[in-house]
Amino acid sequence: MLKNLLSMSGMNVLKSGLQFAMTVMMTYFAAPAEFGLVTFSLPFVGFIALLTDLGMSSAMVQRPTLDRNDAGAAITLICAIGLLCAVILAVISAPLAAGLEMEGLGSVLATLSISVVLSIAALGPRAVLERHLRYQVVASVEIIAVIVSVLTCVLGAFLGWGVWSLVAYYVVVQIVRAAAFAIIARKDVQLNFQWGRVRSILTFGGWVLASNLLNFAGRAVGNVLIGGAVGAAAVGLYGLAYQIMILPLMVITWPGSGVLMATLSRQAAKGSLQERNQIICGVLSLTAAVVFPGMLYLTFGADYLFTAFFPAKWTGIIPLVGLMSIAGAAQSITAYSGAMLLSRGKAQLQFWVSTANSISTIVAFVIGLRFGLIGIIKIYLAVTLIVSVATMLITSWETKLPVLDLVKALAPATVATMLGLVAANRVMEMAATPKSAWMLGTTAYVLTIAISYLLFHRQLARSLLGLRDLELNKERVAAT
């Protein structure tokens, strides 16, 4: 399992690093309003991808048996529905742009509909590879796709494509993914139109779909509400801050959740509850150890970084990043609840948990609109922290993971980060300039966390070694 986690996390570190570097570069070639066009369009693209998937890709990974014909039937059904939905999106793009009075939105949205079909075509073959725990292959494909698409975006930016450089990125990355996954998984898939075969997949997948749609609604509502109420420039600022907030989810939690669900699903038949809980606590502990210090650093480090390295037109993002980084840290742990529940077959409970989370988020944004962009984010942060605690308590109870074990798993990262913030803020008060304050604060923060982790080294080592030992037994786990 450790090798799979490292493969997916390493892939996402490189992927997210390239994407973020590309985004920083594009701030010099595009204004916030242009970013806003793409940011506003992506929720529509993502919604169709989730709707079309019908939860079948997760069901394909989780179910005990899956033959070539079952996989082929599921893939053709997904692609057929996806093509229809993409056509509908392209048709409504112009009227939508006119209704919202966003110049250029129609053409951007219509072009991105192409990426919808390609993204959907990649879902099934990738799920087949994940089912066989071939995460190193998946990681390789994702890295190649991002490298090719980032190079395309950079070339387009220097050729003067403007916002179309970003659009090209999203289209090209899906072209590479769809082609590569289809070729690699071809021996495990027999395409056919016997859609009656997918009934059992749809039964489980329906609850997954409902949960995914609700989670998506909770994440996408910000773009839509801010864009409609405040304008493209505001949604551009929020969109970039949101990309920073979800970096730990993209790099660690989302790929880690896939590995965790696949491993726990294979482990369920023969593994003990104690072994299961050790796996979960190990993943949570190591995730927190990396994410908490990195994200909460932005609560004091973002000011200087964005002032020094970003164009002046983007300075409005600084307070957003400081607040949203805290939410990102909390969500990096909460997002594992889905894998924990689904691996136990509790798809209905996952749906209700997602319902509560999404409704809370939507209500927070609706209430916050009257207080401006900063007010929205403050309310969103408060709701996120409350919902995160409640979600993990429910998940812990339902999966028979002792709350004390959960607290112990998160303790090293939480204590180290809090001490680091205290040390950083103390030394920054003694600095004469913003640059010296940033340097002193960063140094104190890093040293404090390093010393704290040395004190917690036994617990962190147990988490790491536990996942390594599971890797040594992967043949037994995969065979169940």
Side-chain angles (χ1 to χ4, degrees):
M1 181 179 178
L2 183 60
K3 183 182 293 184
N4 288 333
L5 283 171
L6 291 176
S7 296
M8 295 302 291
S9 295
M11 174 271 292
N12 278 276
V13 168
L14 178 58
K15 177 180 176 180
S16 298
L18 289 172
Q19 289 175 331
F20 188 70
M22 176 193 73
T23 301
V24 172
M25 180 204 71
M26 286 301 299
T27 61
Y28 291 88
F29 292 90
E34 291 181 299
F35 263 90
L37 294 177
V38 177
T39 301
F40 187 84
S41 299
L42 291 178
F44 294 92
V45 174
F47 173 77
I48 291 179
L50 278 177
L51 183 65
T52 304
D53 177 33
L54 300 175
M56 287 193 287
S57 59
S58 295
M60 290 166 68
V61 175
Q62 190 272 345
R63 66 178 300 176
T65 60
L66 184 77
D67 63 30
R68 297 177 69 239
N69 290 312
D70 290 340
I75 290 171
T76 56
L77 178 59
I78 291 172
C79 291
I81 300 174
L83 180 60
L84 175 63
C85 291
V87 171
I88 294 174
L89 178 62
V91 170
I92 69 169
S93 58
L96 180 63
L100 294 173
E101 298 182 351
M102 283 191 182
E103 184 179 354
L105 177 64
S107 54
V108 169
L109 193 56
T111 304
L112 286 174
S113 66
I114 298 173
S115 70
V116 172
V117 180
L118 297 168
S119 173
I120 291 164
L123 285 174
R126 172 172 166 155
V128 171
L129 295 175
E130 289 183 3
R131 175 178 177 77
H132 295 293
L133 304 180
R134 298 179 65 186
Y135 285 100
Q136 294 177 65
V137 175
V138 172
S140 298
V141 172
E142 297 287 2
I143 289 173
I144 293 171
V146 169
I147 290 175
V148 172
S149 56
V150 166
L151 290 176
T152 302
C153 177
V154 172
L155 177 62
F158 283 98
L159 290 177
W161 294 359
V163 69
W164 290 101
S165 300
L166 286 172
V167 175
Y169 166 83
Y170 288 105
V171 173
V172 172
V173 72
Q174 300 303 341
I175 291 175
V176 177
R177 293 179 72 249
F181 285 134
I183 292 172
I184 295 170
R186 66 187 184 281
K187 293 182 179 180
D188 297 308
V189 175
Q190 178 61 55
L191 296 178
N192 63 83
F193 295 94
Q194 302 173 38
W195 292 339
R197 287 177 168 272
V198 303
R199 290 175 183 171
S200 61
I201 298 177
L202 284 171
T203 300
F204 182 88
W207 289 106
V208 178
L209 168 64
S211 300
N212 288 342
L213 287 175
L214 286 166
N215 286 329
F216 175 80
R219 294 191 179 281
V221 68
N223 292 338
V224 177
L225 290 178
I226 294 172
V230 189
V235 80
L237 292 172
Y238 169 77
L240 182 55
Y242 183 82
Q243 287 186 43
I244 296 171
M245 183 189 78
I246 65 170
L247 274 176
L249 282 86
M250 293 176 61
V251 172
I252 298 177
T253 304
W254 288 340
S257 292
V259 176
L260 182 63
M261 189 182 78
T263 302
L264 293 178
S265 296
R266 304 284 83 78
Q267 181 263 1
K270 295 183 180 180
S272 66
L273 179 62
Q274 181 181 4
E275 181 184 43
R276 174 188 179 82
N277 289 341
Q278 287 176 344
I279 295 171
I280 294 172
C281 288
V283 171
L284 295 180
S285 181
L286 294 177
T287 298
V290 175
V291 172
F292 285 10
M295 292 304 289
L296 269 69
Y297 169 76
L298 295 175
T299 60
F300 69 89
D303 194 343
Y304 176 78
L305 292 175
F306 279 89
T307 301
F309 300 107
F310 279 69
K313 57 189 175 185
W314 287 93
T315 53
I317 199 176
I318 294 173
L320 303 184
V321 170
L323 294 169
M324 294 175 71
S325 63
I326 303 173
Q331 291 175 359
S332 70
I333 299 301
T334 308
Y336 281 113
S337 65
M340 294 164 63
L341 292 172
L342 292 177
S343 66
R344 299 281 289 182
K346 296 180 178 292
Q348 294 184 40
L349 178 59
Q350 168 61 9
F351 166 75
W352 292 116
V353 170
S354 298
T355 299
N357 290 350
S358 298
I359 291 176
S360 300
T361 301
I362 293 170
V363 170
F365 272 97
V366 171
I367 294 174
L369 285 176
R370 60 185 296 183
F371 302 108
L373 190 55
I374 297 297
I376 292 174
I377 302 307
K378 288 181 178 179
I379 295 175
Y380 169 71
L381 173 59
V383 171
T384 296
L385 294 176
I386 295 171
V387 169
S388 295
V389 172
T391 298
M392 292 310 296
L393 288 176
I394 293 171
T395 303
S396 176
W397 173 267
E398 291 294 333
T399 58
K400 298 181 180 179
L401 172 66
V403 175
L404 183 59
D405 288 355
L406 177 63
V407 173
K408 287 180 178 179
L410 301 179
T414 303
V415 172
T417 303
M418 292 300 102
L419 292 176
L421 289 174
V422 171
N425 282 287
R426 288 288 180 86
V427 300
M428 290 175 71
E429 295 175 354
M430 301 182 292
T433 64
K435 183 176 181 179
S436 61
W438 171 70
M439 293 179 66
L440 286 172
T442 299
T443 302
Y445 186 74
V446 171
L447 289 176
T448 302
I449 290 174
I451 293 171
S452 299
Y453 280 172
L454 285 175
L455 298 176
F456 283 108
H457 74 278
R458 290 185 179 179
Q459 182 175 339
L460 294 172
R462 281 198 300 269
S463 299
L464 185 63
L465 293 175
L467 297 181
R468 187 200 65 178
D469 292 342
L470 181 66
E471 177 193 20
L472 296 176
N473 296 323
K474 66 180 179 180
E475 292 182 1
R476 176 180 64 79
V477 174
T480 60

